[in-house]
Amino acid sequence: MRYPLLCTLLLAACAGGDKAAETTEEATGPAALTAAAVAGTWNGTSTAAGSDSVLSTWTITMTSDSTGTFAMAGAPDLPYTVVFGGDSAIATSASYVDPNLGTDMVMWQSIGRLDSTGTFGGTFTTMLAANHDSVVARGNWKATKAP
């Protein structure tokens, strides 16, 4: 009879020990990403999924809390919209023709986060504008704040 009682007391004592204090991020998650944190102009590069070879170099400029402009040499500026949720920014481009992908109208969607070094980066998916289920490219991107 004593043995089960001792085991129960020992388990209860071990379970209630002091725990290390959690950091704020562990307790509440990463800080929310805001338009102010990514305001201004950013210079970036894109790579295909699974590759580190740069496919394109570009510049984005936030023009308001919910819109921006994507600029690439030799192409017209492309407007996009952005929403912020949690630690992420979700951007969606207007429709456009990418000469590298043929004559179909395409668009991209991107999810990005700001890391602790100040690099803004994430993933993108390019799809047919008329059929969002028709993915034509996937990749990664990263950008740094323009001086």
Side-chain angles (χ1 to χ4, degrees):
M1 180 78 166
R2 287 185 194 174
Y3 184 70
L5 181 60
L6 277 174
C7 287
T8 304
L9 290 173
L10 182 61
L11 286 173
C14 290
D18 289 340
K19 294 182 179 180
E22 292 181 307
T23 66
T24 302
E25 186 169 316
E26 289 172 335
T28 62
L33 184 61
T34 63
V38 294
T41 300
W42 296 76
N43 298 318
T45 58
S46 297
T47 59
S51 172
D52 60 356
S53 297
V54 173
L55 296 175
S56 61
T57 339
W58 40 264
T59 299
I60 57 171
T61 303
M62 292 291 294
T63 54
S64 77
D65 285 354
S66 61
T67 61
T69 302
F70 178 89
M72 202 163 54
D77 289 355
L78 180 65
Y80 66 88
T81 58
V82 63
V83 294
F84 295 90
D87 67 343
S88 303
I90 303 163
T92 304
S93 77
S95 300
Y96 66 102
V97 174
D98 183 336
N100 297 319
L101 299 174
T103 58
D104 291 325
M105 295 292 283
V106 296
M107 60 181 286
W108 49 256
Q109 266 193 329
S110 171
I111 299 174
R113 294 176 181 85
L114 192 60
D115 72 16
S116 61
T117 68
T119 300
F120 191 29
T123 61
F124 70 87
T125 302
T126 302
M127 63 204 84
L128 293 178
N131 181 0
H132 298 178
D133 289 338
S134 296
V135 173
V136 295
R138 292 183 194 274
N140 303 301
W141 61 273
K142 64 180 176 180
T144 54
K145 186 87 168 179

